[in-house]
Amino acid sequence: MKKAIVIGAGFGGIAAAIRLKKKGYDVELIDRCNQLGGRAQVFNINGFRHDAGPTLITAPFLLAELFELFEKNIDHYLNLVPLNPWYRFIYDDKSIFDYEYSLDKTIENIRKISPEDSQNYIKMLNASKKIYDI
């Protein structure tokens, strides 16, 4: 059996290890932390539970795809809850910016702060899509 070593046990490293395992590799997953998950870890300090992030999964279809590799249904293992807004930023002047599920609403919220940036955001999304498609 071929052997693969994946360094980094965040979402990306775990996904790579799962895909390699499906292809028949004996996989060793190595991370500097004691737990899997990378930034998605939860840890306890002095009796308080802390979320290290991410607090949001914006592409749940990618997780579902990993379960499908092994003919499993993600819904039998996880309960993903839609959130809106995805993020809320509160500035020193008490103004609020919501990054929302709806692209149109997010662009509208950006436009309230900076019309130029709302157009640049669309350009950034288009550039990101080209990279994603590759």
Side-chain angles (χ1 to χ4, degrees), residues 6-32:
V6 176
I7 299 172
F11 279 2
I14 292 170
I18 290 169
R19 290 179 188 286
L20 287 164
K21 187 71 174 171
K22 179 64 179 177
K23 290 183 179 252
Y25 284 80
D26 176 28
V27 180
E28 184 174 350
L29 190 55
I30 299 172
D31 195 89
R32 64 181 171 82

Side-chain angles (χ1 to χ4, degrees), residues 58-77:
T58 57
F61 63 92
L62 293 175
L63 290 177
E65 181 182 279
L66 294 172
F67 280 81
E68 290 166 7
L69 286 175
F70 292 91
E71 299 176 5
K72 302 291 182 184
N73 183 333
I74 191 171
D75 296 331
H76 296 161
Y77 299 88

Side-chain angles (χ1 to χ4, degrees), residues 72-93:
K72 302 291 182 184
N73 183 333
I74 191 171
D75 296 331
H76 296 161
Y77 299 88
L78 300 174
N79 180 28
L80 299 176
V81 179
L83 297 175
N84 197 42
W86 283 349
Y87 293 101
R88 171 167 278 175
F89 300 89
I90 303 173
Y91 298 97
D92 287 341
D93 67 0

